[in-house]
Amino acid sequence: MTPAGAPRGAAATLPQLTLGGAPRLGGGTYLFSEPQPHIRRLVDLSRMGWEPPTRHPDGSLEIAATCTIARLSRFAASYEAPAAPLFEQCCRAFLASFKIWNMATVGGNLCNGLPAGPMISLTAALDGRVLLRAQDGSLRRTRVADFVTGAGRKDLAEGELLRSVTLPARSLVCRTAFRQVSLYGLGRSGALVIGTLDPVDGSLALTLTAATVRPFRLWFPLPPDAGALRDTVDNAVAAHDWFDDLHGLPAWRRHMALRLAEEIRRELTQEAGR
């Protein structure tokens, strides 16, 4: 697992992070959840001292890959932004005990690339960009919606590390709506849909996760009607993009994603007086 990378301006730490190609340990909640007989040593990133959430002068928010879910939840409780409630909603979407909350990291959740990863849902919905660092120190950024390319797959080159994810100021002032459904009361998310309404230009974005093998963020310059929304989802998400496992069949996931998306469309457009 490679949930994080060397901080900017800390070149002295980079060699020890890349030495021998050892897996990078963020929280370890996935790494230690099943046997890993091929692993002989780990590089622990939890003591790097990276500031978990950092507010920048332009209003954006940068979240270190090593930020734990518990730390993000505590930050969101006092974070004064219209989109702040979404942080806690996504933190609560974890199928996890308090022990996992205090160890699991934002970067680890992103790098696992699992469809039900709620940090993927949160950061993709808020149009987040991940900062990636290669072994030679070069940096690149890419949208979260493009970083996760499939179930358990991500756009991460050999030896590359995820350092942080940045949420733009424009997204943080959006009105948000959240819907989640599972087959069981305390089961893994079968469909998770997030809507954001931009107060500046009135645009609407809907992000589908958990029901799909990767995040789909659909942007509308103006809120669509119910028919246009349904057509857009069906045109964007191919039949093979609906996830299939014991937590839900593709047909059920599609049905629920469409239903939740319509609920969100109504909620956000009614509140906006449209």
Side-chain angles (χ1 to χ4, degrees), residues 75-110:
F75 169 81
S78 59
Y79 184 41
E80 295 182 359
L86 187 61
F87 287 68
E88 183 67 11
Q89 289 170 320
C90 289
C91 287
R92 294 291 171 184
F94 266 96
L95 179 61
S97 68
F98 76 94
K99 294 180 180 179
I100 300 297
W101 257 48
N102 282 279
M103 293 300 296
T105 62
V106 173
N109 197 246
L110 286 164

Side-chain angles (χ1 to χ4, degrees), residues 131-144:
L131 175 65
L132 305 172
R133 183 163 190 168
Q135 291 191 15
D136 61 5
S138 60
L139 303 174
R140 70 180 177 98
R141 294 183 185 272
T142 188
R143 297 171 67 238
V144 172

Side-chain angles (χ1 to χ4, degrees), residues 38-58:
H38 61 288
I39 294 178
R40 293 293 179 265
R41 62 176 179 174
L42 298 168
V43 176
D44 187 1
L45 303 176
S46 64
R47 299 295 184 266
M48 294 300 292
W50 301 336
E51 185 65 25
T54 303
R55 305 184 202 188
H56 293 299
D58 63 358

Side-chain angles (χ1 to χ4, degrees), residues 17 146 150 153 173 195 268:
L17 293 180
D146 298 324
R153 302 200 309 268
V173 299
L268 292 178

Side-chain angles (χ1 to χ4, degrees), residues 169-187:
R170 183 74 170 264
S171 295
L172 296 170
V173 299
C174 286
R175 185 189 302 275
T176 65
F178 173 95
R179 295 290 192 282
Q180 176 199 19
V181 66
S182 303
L183 278 178
Y184 313 100
L186 296 176

Side-chain angles (χ1 to χ4, degrees), residues 152-167:
R153 302 200 309 268
K154 54 273 181 184
D155 177 20
L156 198 62
E158 183 70 25
E160 201 169 34
L161 302 169
L162 193 157
R163 169 61 179 88
S164 64
V165 56
T166 299
L167 307 177

